[in-house]
Amino acid sequence: MMDISNYIDFTLLKACTSERDIIDLCHVAKTQKYYSVCISSCFVALAKQLLEDSNVKICTVVGFPLGNMSTEAKVFEAQKAIEDGADEIDMVINLGYLKSRNHVFVLKDIIDVKLAIGSTPLKVILEISELNKNEIIKASEICIDANADFIKTSTGFSKSGATLTAVKIIKKTIRNKAKIKASGGIHDFETALKYIDAGAERIGTSKAIKSKSNNRQIRNTKIYTDYIETVLHKNPTSTMQSNSNAQH
């Protein structure tokens, strides 16, 4: 079985999301053994209770979805979310200042949030649909300078979401200095695989993507390589036999 579950941030960020919706989201995340749920900060405490008997982490958004509030507001929101039980923070970059080429402000905005949350992973959302190639590159460089842990493509609230082109641009820019979260418009297993192969190490999706059985279409993918390495670690003999059979 090709296990994609550990790549998935199962997401629900609609304005009309109810407590019942969060309960359902957490239930699916536990059942599918997803990496995390990604929710609005007001629901973090509830999710913490719902997920306390599981390994599913809680990711929440800060400065969402526009990113143009004060740095102090972002810092407070991030700290409060961690107090409530958040394991990861996804903050929106200040697009207005990025467009103004006020790169010092953009850098400080991210640094202040990162310093405030310490070792908690920070993902910075670029909103790639609003940026040209050079702006994506510059924003990615700023994220690296600010010690962000992930660069995330999109909020899902703009005119479009993730693109393979943007993920490849980000990957080429940051190399292995940070990770990439592809988010926005990824709704099925095959599409998620394409983003993982392009360099994404986390997938944000509002759809319950399920893992699939091994088949020839996915044998050259990164997730298949990870799967083989996992099995090899558990049982070297059976894996060598599997690889031998796959060549015939």
Side-chain angles (χ1 to χ4, degrees):
M1 179 73 71
M2 295 292 94
D3 189 6
I4 201 172
S5 59
N6 204 45
Y7 289 85
I8 301 296
D9 286 355
F10 196 34
T11 304
L12 184 56
L13 294 167
K14 294 180 179 179
C16 57
T17 297
S18 68
E19 291 177 312
R20 179 73 250 178
D21 294 331
I22 296 297
I23 292 170
D24 292 342
L25 182 86
C26 290
H27 174 72
V28 174
K30 287 197 294 185
T31 301
Q32 298 297 326
K33 298 181 179 179
Y34 289 144
Y35 186 88
S36 80
V37 293
C38 185
I39 56 177
S40 299
S41 58
C42 66
F43 293 119
V44 168
L46 172 61
K48 185 68 174 179
Q49 293 179 354
L50 296 168
L51 297 170
E52 62 182 356
D53 60 344
S54 76
N55 293 322
V56 179
K57 297 185 182 299
I58 299 169
C59 170
T60 194
V61 290
V62 165
F64 193 87
L66 301 178
N68 57 359
M69 56 290 299
S70 69
T71 300
E72 291 79 8
K74 290 179 179 179
V75 166
F76 178 84
E77 187 177 14
Q79 290 176 322
K80 181 63 169 65
I82 291 172
E83 287 177 14
D84 289 344
D87 300 297
E88 298 184 344
I89 300 295
D90 288 18
M91 72 167 282
V92 184
I93 202 168
N94 192 306
L95 286 169
Y97 277 109
L98 182 65
K99 289 284 188 179
S100 302
R101 297 185 182 180
N102 189 340
H103 299 145
V104 173
F105 181 95
V106 177
L107 176 66
K108 186 178 183 300
D109 192 48
I110 301 169
I111 286 177
D112 284 0
V113 174
K114 181 57 182 173
L115 289 175
I117 66 176
S119 60
T120 301
L122 175 66
K123 308 189 197 84
V124 179
I125 308 172
L126 301 190
E127 201 69 283
I128 59 167
S129 63
E130 303 296 333
L131 306 176
N132 60 40
K133 179 180 177 180
N134 289 337
E135 288 169 336
I136 292 173
I137 292 171
K138 186 61 183 179
S140 298
E141 291 172 344
I142 292 172
C143 289
I144 293 300
D145 290 341
N147 293 319
D149 300 280
F150 279 80
I151 296 174
K152 179 178 172 181
T153 59
S154 323
T155 62
F157 279 71
S158 189
K159 51 196 173 190
S160 62
T163 68
L164 289 169
T165 298
V167 168
K168 290 174 183 177
I169 291 170
I170 295 169
K171 183 65 177 178
K172 184 176 180 180
T173 303
I174 67 174
R175 300 185 182 276
N176 295 318
K177 296 178 181 178
K179 298 179 181 180
I180 299 172
K181 176 177 175 179
S183 183
I186 304 172
H187 300 317
D188 58 74
F189 182 85
E190 288 76 15
T191 303
L193 279 184
K194 292 177 182 178
Y195 279 97
I196 292 168
D197 287 336
E201 297 192 49
R202 200 78 65 78
I203 301 294
T205 179
S206 59
K207 302 294 182 182
I209 298 176
K210 296 183 179 180
S211 296
K212 289 191 176 182
S213 298
N214 179 18
N215 57 56
R216 291 190 178 276
Q217 282 72 30
I218 58 179
R219 282 188 175 171
N220 293 323
T221 64
K222 181 179 183 298
I223 196 170
Y224 182 71
T225 302
D226 292 345
Y227 162 75
I228 289 296
E229 289 177 352
T230 300
V231 176
L232 178 61
H233 180 72
K234 293 179 179 178
N235 190 341
T237 304
S238 65
T239 305
M240 285 187 291
Q241 291 174 347
S242 174
N243 285 339
S244 175
N245 291 336
Q247 293 173 0
H248 295 293

